[in-house]
């Protein structure tokens, strides 16, 4: 019977256990540059089988929050170089999450204070986090403009460049494409945000096109075995919804099956919230079966509200990896704590976004 503590291979990634640190936005990178404190934070958590970094912007246009890191400047890549060096020295594996927020942004964060970009000019009824005087302030997102079709090749290319720089320059073991939680690629996927009438809107095939083009471009730069992708079929995050998510995501994973990805990362239910939504039913077993039937060999990573018992059951029943979010904020030695069945530190939500070492690098180990 496989256990959470057994090693596993995900594409080219050889992982010491099945316990993953989920991507967690922390807003502690002024000017989008990860600080030495960020290296301390991730290195404290290096006993995870895999660390997925906080969402990291591929371009300035992809920025939607204050003080989140990027991958598009030399100093940003240098900041990450220290993170990957220190995590590797501690025996860990780390991939960076490639992020473009699309419409979930604010003009004050955009190049020339312009409008954020989106599949269609539909404002998300959601808030973003701007850091003011070191404190998080939640503000309404700005009205977006629809991307022109001729802008899309450049956009795809910017994912590819970020992926290449992440692996070749910053030293990451791989990348995770953020296609979840109502950000750009999820906006293209879903009917609630995509009303395009060109090849990137309308049918399921058209709405999935940008995400699949991005994934192909990223895998051609760094290899499928170093590429994972995060999906959230029914999340409510950032005012996103789709009229019929099951056939949409079944199509998506069937197309991903041939790309030899390291892993597929699924958020079950509403991100950080309910795992089952009566108004948004979804069959995750059918999704996984669609991927396997299409020949998909990547590791299957599950996430959202897993406790120890649920995680052990998931691995015993054939999932390959479990990602923990809130537990990882408060428990740097989560692997050791799970191994002995707890106890677990309680986290402090007030220090999730912004600030310094408090609530970041000061949680005690056993
Ligand atoms: C919380 C706050 C800001 C961003 C996500 C990148 O939900 C995020 C995020 C989460 O994927």
């Amino acid at each position: 019977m496989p256990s959470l503590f057994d090693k596993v291979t995900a594409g080219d990634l050889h992982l010491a256990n099945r316990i993953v640190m989920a991507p967690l936005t922390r807003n502690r990178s002024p000017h989008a540059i990860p600080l030495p404190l960020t290296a301390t934070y991730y290195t404290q958590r290096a006993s995870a089988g895999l660390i997925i970094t906080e969402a990291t912007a591929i371009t300035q246009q992809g920025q939607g929050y204050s003080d989140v890191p990027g991958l598009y400047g030399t100093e940003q890549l240098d900041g990450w170089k220290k993170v990957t060096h220190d995590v590797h020295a501690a025996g860990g594996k780390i991939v960076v999450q490639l992020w473009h927020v699309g419409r979930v942004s604010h003009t004050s964060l955009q190049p020339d204070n312009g409008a954020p970009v989106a599949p269609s000019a539909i404002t998300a009824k959601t808030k973003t986090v701007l850091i003011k005087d070191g404190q998080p302030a939640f503000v309404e997102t700005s009205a977006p403009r629809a991307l022109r079709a001729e802008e899309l090749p450049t956009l795809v290319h910017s994912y590819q460049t970020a992926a290449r720089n992440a692996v070749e320059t910053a030293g990451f073991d791989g990348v995770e494409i953020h296609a979840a939680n109502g950000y750009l690629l999820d906006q293209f996927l879903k009917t609630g945000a995509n009303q395009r009438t060109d090849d990137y809107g309308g049918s399921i095939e058209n709405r999935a096109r940008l995400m699949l083009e991005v994934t192909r471009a990223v895998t051609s730069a760094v290899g499928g075995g170093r590429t994972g992708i995060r999906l959230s079929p029914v999340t409510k995050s950032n005012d996103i919804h789709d009229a019929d998510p099951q056939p949409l995501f079944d199509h998506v994973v069937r197309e991903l099956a041939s790309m030899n990805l390291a892993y597929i990362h699924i958020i079950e239910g509403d991100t950080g919230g309910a795992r089952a939504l009566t108004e948004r039913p979804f069959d995750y077993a059918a999704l996984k079966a669609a991927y396997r039937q299409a020949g998909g060999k990547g590791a299957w990573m599950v996430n959202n509200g897993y406790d120890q018992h649920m995680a052990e059951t998931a691995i015993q029943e054939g999932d390959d990896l479990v990602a923990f979010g809130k537990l990882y904020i408060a428990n740097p030695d989560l692997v050791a704590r799970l191994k002995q069945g707890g106890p677990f530190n309680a986290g402090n939500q007030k220090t999730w976004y912004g600030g310094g070492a408090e609530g970041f690098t000061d949680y005690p180990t056993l």
Side-chain angles (χ1 to χ4, degrees), residues 213-234:
E213 285 179 357
V214 164
T215 310
R216 271 186 220 103
V218 167
T219 60
S220 79
V222 304
R226 294 188 178 279
T227 304
I229 191 163
R230 194 176 210 212
L231 306 170
S232 56
V234 297

Side-chain angles (χ1 to χ4, degrees), residues 4-8 15-20 47-50 321 335:
L4 273 175
F5 308 102
D6 292 342
K7 62 186 189 310
V8 69
L15 311 179
N17 58 60
R18 282 74 177 329
I19 297 160
V20 176
S47 59
L50 181 66
L321 295 161
V335 173

Side-chain angles (χ1 to χ4, degrees), residues 9-137:
T9 298
D12 293 348
L13 308 173
H14 299 280
L15 311 179
N17 58 60
R18 282 74 177 329
I19 297 160
V20 176
M21 179 180 175
L24 296 156
T25 290
R26 305 306 306 272
N27 305 77
R28 283 165 166 88
S29 300
H31 310 291
I33 301 167
L35 298 173
L37 194 66
T38 299
T40 305
Y41 163 73
Y42 284 114
T43 304
Q44 288 172 342
R45 289 156 179 77
S47 59
L50 181 66
I51 294 171
I52 305 166
T53 70
E54 62 209 275
T56 300
I58 57 165
T59 55
Q60 192 191 336
Q61 187 195 67
Q63 288 279 13
Y65 300 78
S66 285
D67 297 356
V68 297
L71 279 169
Y72 49 92
T74 309
E75 290 169 292
Q76 298 166 9
L77 294 169
D78 283 346
W80 282 123
K81 227 183 259 182
K82 175 167 173 57
V83 174
T84 63
H85 173 271
D86 292 1
V87 167
H88 289 152
K93 294 273 158 74
I94 182 166
V95 299
V96 64
Q97 196 190 43
L98 304 179
W99 195 25
H100 190 306
V101 296
R103 65 181 183 165
V104 185
S105 187
H106 191 264
T107 51
S108 67
L109 300 167
Q110 288 290 307
D112 305 319
N113 296 319
V117 298
S120 302
I122 307 168
T123 305
K125 291 183 200 65
T126 187
K127 294 196 162 139
T128 177
V129 183
L130 301 181
I131 305 290
K132 292 186 172 148
D133 305 321
Q135 294 300 317

Side-chain angles (χ1 to χ4, degrees), residues 25 55 65 99 178 181 183 353:
T25 290
Y65 300 78
W99 195 25
H178 194 344
N181 294 347
Y183 296 110
Y353 308 123

